């Protein structure tokens, strides 16, 4: 679990840098280079920073779940709450991605970007549904453990 925690911290730090410096700077540069698309600067900044925030929620929730595993409390309602946070972060990111897909899909002159966004939509949907299955498995395991403890 130690290496995973190291990489979670590293990933979180990189995402903070992207969220505060790289993404806003990239879209400011884009607005300067393409004044005809400058109106997209703030919406694109907001959307991408929101997606990064969703990833950060997943990272923090994963950290908390690792802590529960370490304390042998993973089979508890507290764990389900953190899994719910992951699921809702994925759902929120997916809904915004759907909006971006629809906007760009109706306004695109080239099918490449809409197809890439569609691939991302399907991938995020699979990830979200996988988390729902994992939550159901955690719920079953929690119930079984509680029943076993009641018998003993």
């Amino acid at each position: 679990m130690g290496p995973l925690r190291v990489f979670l911290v590293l990933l979180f730090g990189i995402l903070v840098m992207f969220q505060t410096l790289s993404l806003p700077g990239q879209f400011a540069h884009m607005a300067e280079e393409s004044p005809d698309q400058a109106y997209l600067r703030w919406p694109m900044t907001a959307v991408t920073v929101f997606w990064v925030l969703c990833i950060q929620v997943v990272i923090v929730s994963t950290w908390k779940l690792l802590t529960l595993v370490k304390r042998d409390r993973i089979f508890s309602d507290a764990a389900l709450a953190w899994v719910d946070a992951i699921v809702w972060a994925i759902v929120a990111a997916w809904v915004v991605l759907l909006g971006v897909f629809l906007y760009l899909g109706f306004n695109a002159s080239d099918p490449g970007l809409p197809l890439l966004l569609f691939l991302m939509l399907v991938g995020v949907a699979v990830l979200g549904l996988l988390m729902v299955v994992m939550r159901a498995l955690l719920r079953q395991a929690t119930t079984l453990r509680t029943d076993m403890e009641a018998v003993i």
Side-chain angles (χ1 to χ4, degrees), residues 118-139:
F118 182 68
L119 173 64
M120 290 172 61
L121 261 177
V122 172
V124 173
V126 167
L127 180 63
L129 292 170
L130 179 62
M131 287 308 303
V132 169
V133 169
M134 296 302 286
R135 186 195 187 286
L137 291 172
L138 180 61
R139 168 57 76 194

Short mmCIF file of all heavy atoms in Angstrom, two decimals, residues 118-139:
data_model
loop_
_atom_site.label_atom_id
_atom_site.label_comp_id
_atom_site.label_asym_id
_atom_site.label_seq_id
_atom_site.Cartn_x
_atom_site.Cartn_y
_atom_site.Cartn_z
N PHE A 118 -16.59 10.26 -27.77
CA PHE A 118 -17.50 9.13 -27.59
C PHE A 118 -16.76 7.96 -26.94
O PHE A 118 -17.30 7.30 -26.04
CB PHE A 118 -18.11 8.71 -28.93
CG PHE A 118 -19.08 7.58 -28.81
CD1 PHE A 118 -20.30 7.77 -28.17
CD2 PHE A 118 -18.79 6.33 -29.31
CE1 PHE A 118 -21.21 6.73 -28.03
CE2 PHE A 118 -19.69 5.28 -29.19
CZ PHE A 118 -20.91 5.48 -28.55
N LEU A 119 -15.53 7.72 -27.38
CA LEU A 119 -14.72 6.68 -26.76
C LEU A 119 -14.51 6.98 -25.27
O LEU A 119 -14.64 6.09 -24.42
CB LEU A 119 -13.36 6.58 -27.47
CG LEU A 119 -12.33 5.64 -26.84
CD1 LEU A 119 -12.81 4.20 -26.89
CD2 LEU A 119 -11.00 5.79 -27.54
N MET A 120 -14.23 8.22 -24.95
CA MET A 120 -14.05 8.61 -23.55
C MET A 120 -15.35 8.44 -22.77
O MET A 120 -15.33 7.98 -21.61
CB MET A 120 -13.56 10.05 -23.46
CG MET A 120 -12.13 10.23 -23.95
SD MET A 120 -11.60 11.94 -24.07
CE MET A 120 -11.74 12.47 -22.37
N LEU A 121 -16.48 8.80 -23.38
CA LEU A 121 -17.79 8.62 -22.73
C LEU A 121 -18.03 7.17 -22.37
O LEU A 121 -18.45 6.85 -21.26
CB LEU A 121 -18.91 9.08 -23.67
CG LEU A 121 -19.50 10.46 -23.47
CD1 LEU A 121 -20.52 10.75 -24.55
CD2 LEU A 121 -20.08 10.65 -22.11
N VAL A 122 -17.77 6.29 -23.32
CA VAL A 122 -17.97 4.86 -23.07
C VAL A 122 -16.99 4.37 -22.00
O VAL A 122 -17.38 3.63 -21.09
CB VAL A 122 -17.84 4.05 -24.38
CG1 VAL A 122 -17.84 2.56 -24.11
CG2 VAL A 122 -18.96 4.43 -25.35
N GLY A 123 -15.75 4.79 -22.08
CA GLY A 123 -14.75 4.38 -21.09
C GLY A 123 -15.09 4.83 -19.68
O GLY A 123 -15.01 4.05 -18.73
N VAL A 124 -15.51 6.08 -19.53
CA VAL A 124 -15.88 6.59 -18.20
C VAL A 124 -17.15 5.89 -17.71
O VAL A 124 -17.28 5.59 -16.52
CB VAL A 124 -16.03 8.12 -18.22
CG1 VAL A 124 -16.57 8.65 -16.90
CG2 VAL A 124 -14.70 8.78 -18.54
N ALA A 125 -18.09 5.59 -18.62
CA ALA A 125 -19.30 4.87 -18.23
C ALA A 125 -18.94 3.47 -17.72
O ALA A 125 -19.47 3.02 -16.69
CB ALA A 125 -20.26 4.77 -19.41
N VAL A 126 -18.03 2.80 -18.39
CA VAL A 126 -17.59 1.47 -17.96
C VAL A 126 -16.93 1.57 -16.59
O VAL A 126 -17.20 0.75 -15.69
CB VAL A 126 -16.65 0.83 -19.00
CG1 VAL A 126 -15.94 -0.40 -18.43
CG2 VAL A 126 -17.42 0.47 -20.26
N LEU A 127 -16.08 2.56 -16.41
CA LEU A 127 -15.42 2.75 -15.12
C LEU A 127 -16.44 3.00 -14.01
O LEU A 127 -16.36 2.42 -12.93
CB LEU A 127 -14.43 3.92 -15.19
CG LEU A 127 -13.65 4.24 -13.93
CD1 LEU A 127 -12.76 3.07 -13.53
CD2 LEU A 127 -12.83 5.50 -14.13
N GLY A 128 -17.42 3.85 -14.29
CA GLY A 128 -18.47 4.13 -13.30
C GLY A 128 -19.28 2.89 -12.96
O GLY A 128 -19.56 2.62 -11.79
N LEU A 129 -19.67 2.14 -13.98
CA LEU A 129 -20.45 0.92 -13.74
C LEU A 129 -19.63 -0.14 -13.01
O LEU A 129 -20.15 -0.87 -12.16
CB LEU A 129 -21.00 0.38 -15.06
CG LEU A 129 -22.07 1.27 -15.70
CD1 LEU A 129 -22.38 0.79 -17.11
CD2 LEU A 129 -23.32 1.34 -14.84
N LEU A 130 -18.33 -0.20 -13.32
CA LEU A 130 -17.45 -1.11 -12.57
C LEU A 130 -17.42 -0.73 -11.09
O LEU A 130 -17.47 -1.60 -10.22
CB LEU A 130 -16.05 -1.07 -13.17
CG LEU A 130 -14.99 -1.94 -12.49
CD1 LEU A 130 -15.38 -3.42 -12.57
CD2 LEU A 130 -13.64 -1.72 -13.14
N MET A 131 -17.38 0.55 -10.81
CA MET A 131 -17.39 1.00 -9.41
C MET A 131 -18.71 0.66 -8.72
O MET A 131 -18.74 0.34 -7.53
CB MET A 131 -17.10 2.49 -9.31
CG MET A 131 -15.66 2.86 -9.58
SD MET A 131 -14.44 1.94 -8.61
CE MET A 131 -14.95 2.30 -6.95
N VAL A 132 -19.81 0.72 -9.46
CA VAL A 132 -21.11 0.33 -8.90
C VAL A 132 -21.09 -1.16 -8.54
O VAL A 132 -21.59 -1.56 -7.48
CB VAL A 132 -22.26 0.67 -9.88
CG1 VAL A 132 -23.56 0.05 -9.44
CG2 VAL A 132 -22.41 2.19 -10.01
N VAL A 133 -20.51 -1.98 -9.42
CA VAL A 133 -20.39 -3.41 -9.13
C VAL A 133 -19.49 -3.63 -7.91
O VAL A 133 -19.82 -4.42 -7.01
CB VAL A 133 -19.84 -4.18 -10.36
CG1 VAL A 133 -19.46 -5.61 -10.00
CG2 VAL A 133 -20.86 -4.17 -11.48
N MET A 134 -18.38 -2.92 -7.85
CA MET A 134 -17.46 -3.05 -6.71
C MET A 134 -18.16 -2.62 -5.41
O MET A 134 -17.97 -3.24 -4.37
CB MET A 134 -16.20 -2.22 -6.93
CG MET A 134 -15.36 -2.68 -8.11
SD MET A 134 -14.83 -4.39 -7.99
CE MET A 134 -13.58 -4.25 -6.77
N ARG A 135 -19.00 -1.59 -5.50
CA ARG A 135 -19.75 -1.16 -4.32
C ARG A 135 -20.71 -2.25 -3.87
O ARG A 135 -20.86 -2.53 -2.68
CB ARG A 135 -20.51 0.13 -4.61
CG ARG A 135 -21.18 0.69 -3.37
CD ARG A 135 -22.23 1.75 -3.68
NE ARG A 135 -22.72 2.37 -2.49
CZ ARG A 135 -23.55 1.80 -1.61
NH1 ARG A 135 -23.94 0.55 -1.77
NH2 ARG A 135 -23.96 2.45 -0.55
N ALA A 136 -21.38 -2.89 -4.83
CA ALA A 136 -22.31 -3.97 -4.49
C ALA A 136 -21.56 -5.14 -3.83
O ALA A 136 -22.06 -5.73 -2.87
CB ALA A 136 -23.05 -4.45 -5.74
N LEU A 137 -20.37 -5.44 -4.36
CA LEU A 137 -19.56 -6.51 -3.75
C LEU A 137 -19.13 -6.13 -2.34
O LEU A 137 -19.16 -6.97 -1.43
CB LEU A 137 -18.34 -6.81 -4.62
CG LEU A 137 -18.63 -7.47 -5.96
CD1 LEU A 137 -17.36 -7.53 -6.80
CD2 LEU A 137 -19.21 -8.86 -5.77
N LEU A 138 -18.75 -4.88 -2.14
CA LEU A 138 -18.37 -4.42 -0.81
C LEU A 138 -19.55 -4.49 0.14
O LEU A 138 -19.42 -4.90 1.29
CB LEU A 138 -17.80 -3.00 -0.86
CG LEU A 138 -17.37 -2.39 0.46
CD1 LEU A 138 -16.26 -3.21 1.11
CD2 LEU A 138 -16.93 -0.94 0.26
N ARG A 139 -20.72 -4.13 -0.35
CA ARG A 139 -21.95 -4.20 0.48
C ARG A 139 -22.21 -5.64 0.89
O ARG A 139 -22.51 -5.92 2.05
CB ARG A 139 -23.13 -3.61 -0.29
CG ARG A 139 -24.50 -3.86 0.30
CD ARG A 139 -24.70 -3.37 1.71
NE ARG A 139 -24.87 -1.94 1.76
CZ ARG A 139 -24.80 -1.24 2.89
NH1 ARG A 139 -24.55 -1.85 4.03
NH2 ARG A 139 -24.96 0.04 2.89
#
